[in-house]
Amino acid sequence: MDINKAKDVFRRSGIKFSQQRLQIFLLLNNKNEPISADDIYLELIKGESNNINISTVYRILGLFTKKGLVLKSNLNIDGKATFEINHRDHRHHLICIQCGKIVPISGCPLKEYERSLIKKTNYLILEHNLEIRGICPECQKIRESKDIGI
Amino acid sequence: MDINKAKDVFRRSGIKFSQQRLQIFLLLNNKNEPISADDIYLELIKGESNNINISTVYRILGLFTKKGLVLKSNLNIDGKATFEINHRDHRHHLICIQCGKIVPISGCPLKEYERSLIKKTNYLILEHNLEIRGICPECQKIRESKDIGI
DNA sequence: ACGCACTTGCAAATTAATTGCATTTGCGTT
DNA sequence: AACGCAAATGCAATTAATTTGCAAGTGCGT
């Protein structure tokens, strides 16, 4: 994702361009895991020339969310809300409860199920979220070597 | 769920009995949807003789969660964490985005999928959460009568 | 370069959640 | 049934996340 592409997305979404919006948008595009407002802020202020305020981060995330560019993840990381780019390809995550690593998983196992749910409940199903938690291969090795029970 | 049953659960979980714990436990058992600490507090103080403090509510929810009686739902309702009784039968929810109603759905569509995910990723899968959002039949009728697009 | 609406920074306010400490309560023992 | 102690609660104050008001700054069309 480069600057011109970002400007394009902004224009199409009716979002006025600004440096701060650009930076947050690029950062979110380079992450493939949910990130908190505070972490975005910390990443941006450690970047060389770049300055930004935490309230601006919140405001921009709110704007992006309202415009559908960003999803407010239902995954709260110790009390902080997290956000991620709205990959329209409908992505879920696999989260390691040991090291906190989050990896996107491809495909969605719920298409068929939702159809049956519609029949059963008469709800108009619009969206869902799914997070799966477990222990990644690396952390499993560490656990084995320390002989910790689950 | 009556008082003696609750006392039994407490004893088996190593939880000392108290009025406040009882009330929160009974309330959670009568809800079948996630509820925030604040809403629990509000429901309890409007009850006749009953008084409780919001910090006590948080402390008891923390205790119940630690002991596995209660699950901290990943569903945050405008910025507030929510909690629900740990039905060990592994329940998911269907949420109406119009009226906010939450109904539990029976069965879980992910058993088979998790098995395939284990093979593919070598993760040790421990748990997952799934929330499905849509519009309930009643709200659909209201929308139709008002002719609102989605 | 100019002007105006929109955005940002800053500081203060709000709200959720936590904590320290004095008081109260549950419960086993006498 | 009263006693005593550890644990639980209430209260007030604190911390931490998020929001908001307002003055100053910026993007963008003219």
Side-chain angles (χ1 to χ4, degrees), chain B residues 45-112:
Chain B
I45 58 169
K46 84 178 175 206
E48 60 286 3
S49 60
N50 307 319
N51 219 356
I52 196 169
N53 190 277
I54 183 68
S55 62
T56 303
V57 175
Y58 277 109
R59 275 191 279 230
I60 290 176
L61 287 172
L63 175 70
F64 284 0
T65 302
K66 200 174 66 185
K67 297 290 188 175
L69 266 57
V70 158
L71 297 174
K72 185 166 185 170
S73 167
N74 57 308
L75 172 71
N76 278 46
I77 294 177
D78 41 60
K80 292 180 229 174
T82 63
F83 300 82
E84 64 185 317
I85 277 292
N86 184 359
H87 301 97
R88 317 253 168 178
D89 59 347
H90 186 69
R91 202 169 286 200
H92 298 302
H93 295 102
L94 184 48
I95 301 153
C96 177
I97 62 166
Q98 207 84 135
C99 65
K101 183 169 48 200
I102 303 174
V103 299
I105 53 190
S106 60
C108 169
L110 293 163
K111 284 274 155 289
E112 199 45 55

Side-chain angles (χ1 to χ4, degrees), chain A:
Chain A
M1 175 74 62
D2 66 3
I3 297 187
N4 288 320
K5 242 176 170 175
K7 283 192 173 180
D8 237 51
V9 175
F10 287 177
R11 194 166 30 70
R12 279 200 306 272
S13 307
I15 291 175
K16 198 169 162 181
F17 177 85
S18 82
Q19 278 306 320
Q20 291 83 342
R21 287 169 182 188
L22 174 66
Q23 286 173 48
I24 291 179
F25 189 67
L26 294 180
L27 192 156
L28 284 168
N29 269 286
N30 289 334
K31 288 270 164 209
N32 57 4
E33 59 176 51
I35 181 173
S36 69
D38 201 54
D39 287 344
I40 291 174
Y41 172 71
L42 292 174
E43 286 223 21
L44 290 181
I45 59 170
K46 84 179 175 207
E48 62 285 4
S49 60
N50 308 319
N51 218 356
I52 196 169
N53 189 278
I54 183 67
S55 61
T56 303
V57 175
Y58 276 108
R59 276 191 279 231
I60 290 176
L61 288 173
L63 175 70
F64 284 180
T65 303
K66 200 174 65 185
K67 297 290 188 177
L69 266 58
V70 158
L71 297 174
K72 185 166 189 171
S73 167
N74 57 305
L75 173 70
N76 277 44
I77 295 178
D78 42 59
K80 292 180 228 173
T82 63
F83 300 81
E84 64 186 316
I85 276 293
N86 185 359
H87 301 97
R88 317 252 168 180
D89 60 346
H90 186 68
R91 202 167 287 200
H92 298 301
H93 296 101
L94 185 47
I95 302 153
C96 178
I97 62 165
Q98 207 84 134
C99 65
K101 185 168 47 199
I102 303 175
V103 301
I105 54 190
S106 59
C108 169
L110 293 164
K111 285 274 156 289
E112 200 44 57
Y113 178 69
E114 288 196 342
R115 221 163 301 154
S116 72
L117 204 56
I118 288 171
K119 267 197 200 130
K120 202 160 34 171
T121 65
N122 289 316
Y123 267 61
L124 173 61
I125 306 285
L126 295 175
E127 53 174 9
H128 64 252
N129 78 276
L130 169 65
E131 308 289 350
I132 300 180
R133 264 169 286 276
I135 301 179
C136 70
E138 295 74 38
C139 288
Q140 284 176 57
K141 275 189 207 116
I142 295 169
R143 288 169 78 96
E144 277 161 23
S145 70
K146 292 195 185 163
D147 203 42
I148 307 168
I150 287 185

